[in-house]
Amino acid sequence: VAYFEQAISLDSNFAPAYASIAQSYGLLGNNGAAAPQDAYPKDKAAALKALELDPDLGDAHVALAEVLNDYEWNWPAAEEEYKRAIVLEPNNSTAHHWYAMALAWMGRSQEALAEIKQARQLDPLSTRINANVANVLYFARQYDLAVSESEKTIQLDARDPVPHLIAGLAYSQRKEYGKAIAEVQTAVALGNEQQYNRHATFDTWLAEVYAVAGKRQQALSVLMKVKDIGRHTWVSPTLIAAVYAGLGEKDEAFAWLQQALTERDPRLFILKVSPAFDPLRSDPRFNEMLRRRRVLL
């Protein structure tokens, strides 16, 4: 953001710098590295400024789509912006990538796979795109393929924590808990080393995997650490809810999901498709959460 702001100080009409600022704030919000109310309004303001300067700038439409989808929960408008970006710039890998993830969270897995594979074809060395091929497969419940794609990404860059995380989550659903815990522990260690885990995101997933594996005390121990971090910085309530779902504590899970709704936690985008919430799906409160997530604007 600082460098893009320097670009604007040199040329206040340089639309790509505003679009890149917008995408940066969108990524901070999407990855849980900033509180939603801090990140997404800045994303939207910069995206709208970029579009004012250049209405045909694909990256600006992508950035606007991100805030519409993640924070304002206006999926129809977000999809229009993603599609507009792709029409304007068919070779924009970020447009295909972010549209793919939004489709995956909506449960449109076949369309999501087509888009994420298009993104990978355009940018085959991107570890995040490669990791998200596995992520789309994970949300589509294709756990064997998710593990396979994660392993390929680890071969591309073993120090990226994300493919280790996705492999761990997929192993967890295959009930290979030893492998699951080892992979997510690796993700935590790499995330800490690279200062990527300052908001306890990977720790929360580790607690979730411990919970699913039946290791209650380990899950609660990590969760206590996460909550302690949450006293000083923003931590995703949705991910904490997933831990309680894994522990079988439904009332606590729904209480944290309610907090996620109040805070407009972008992680709620996984609610419809994440296996972590399977223990809650038979509860009438779950469908009400989905309804409120869709209509609250």
Side-chain angles (χ1 to χ4, degrees):
V1 169
Y3 278 115
F4 290 130
E5 287 176 342
Q6 287 183 41
I8 289 170
S9 71
L10 294 169
D11 182 354
S12 60
N13 293 318
F14 187 47
Y18 288 102
S20 295
I21 286 174
Q23 289 192 1
S24 297
Y25 280 118
L27 286 167
L28 286 169
N30 183 281
N31 285 287
Q37 63 270 24
D38 293 334
Y40 287 105
K42 295 174 183 176
D43 175 343
K44 188 172 186 179
L48 291 175
K49 179 63 176 179
L51 289 170
E52 176 187 323
L53 293 168
D54 184 355
D56 293 332
L57 184 60
D59 279 339
H61 287 280
V62 173
L64 181 58
E66 186 84 342
V67 67
L68 289 167
N69 185 65
D70 292 9
Y71 187 64
E72 297 189 3
W73 300 348
N74 187 346
W75 167 245
E79 185 167 29
E80 283 186 18
E81 292 296 329
Y82 283 126
K83 288 181 174 180
R84 180 64 179 156
I86 290 168
V87 167
L88 290 167
E89 299 176 15
N91 293 331
N92 187 322
S93 61
T94 301
H96 290 283
H97 179 191
W98 292 9
Y99 184 35
M101 299 315 299
L103 288 167
W105 302 322
M106 292 293 293
R108 292 162 59 179
S109 57
Q110 291 306 309
E111 294 170 85
L113 281 169
E115 289 293 334
I116 196 68
K117 288 179 179 179
Q118 178 67 18
R120 181 166 63 180
Q121 183 176 341
L122 292 166
D123 192 358
L125 298 183
S126 167
T127 55
R128 185 52 44 83
I129 289 174
N130 277 276
N132 274 334
V133 173
N135 207 8
V136 170
L137 289 164
Y138 170 73
F139 288 133
R141 314 301 177 99
Q142 298 185 44
Y143 303 125
D144 293 348
L145 288 174
V147 167
S148 175
E149 291 293 342
S150 296
E151 290 173 345
K152 291 177 186 176
T153 308
I154 291 167
Q155 291 175 7
L156 191 65
D157 182 3
R159 293 182 54 75
D160 187 331
V162 175
H164 291 283
L165 169 67
I166 297 167
L169 294 175
Y171 277 127
S172 178
Q173 294 302 316
R174 291 191 347 184
K175 303 188 187 307
E176 297 179 57
Y177 298 124
K179 291 181 179 179
I181 291 166
E183 288 288 359
V184 182
Q185 284 176 333
T186 298
V188 170
L190 289 170
N192 289 338
E193 183 182 319
Q194 299 166 27
Q195 296 189 331
Y196 192 86
N197 192 35
R198 286 176 289 178
H199 292 252
T201 302
F202 292 116
D203 292 285
T204 315
W205 272 308
L206 179 59
E208 176 192 319
V209 170
Y210 277 137
V212 173
K215 296 183 179 295
R216 183 178 182 84
Q217 291 308 312
Q218 292 96 320
L220 291 173
S221 177
V222 176
L223 190 56
M224 185 181 300
K225 173 186 173 183
V226 169
K227 288 183 176 180
D228 185 58
I229 292 171
R231 294 188 181 96
H232 311 288
T233 187
W234 188 81
V235 173
S236 167
T238 302
L239 298 185
I240 293 177
V243 180
Y244 281 114
L247 289 169
E249 298 186 23
K250 291 186 178 183
D251 290 344
E252 278 292 321
F254 281 111
W256 283 96
L257 286 175
Q258 178 58 51
Q259 184 172 331
L261 281 167
T262 301
E263 297 181 10
R264 290 181 173 270
D265 180 3
R267 291 284 172 188
L268 275 171
F269 48 51
I270 69 173
L271 189 61
K272 182 176 182 178
V273 294
S274 175
F277 296 105
D278 285 356
L280 306 182
R281 295 188 192 278
S282 62
D283 192 303
R285 290 174 290 181
F286 188 80
N287 283 333
E288 176 62 14
M289 283 287 172
L290 285 177
R291 186 193 67 80
R292 292 180 63 193
R293 196 298 192 184
R294 286 197 297 270
V295 304
L296 184 60
L297 301 176

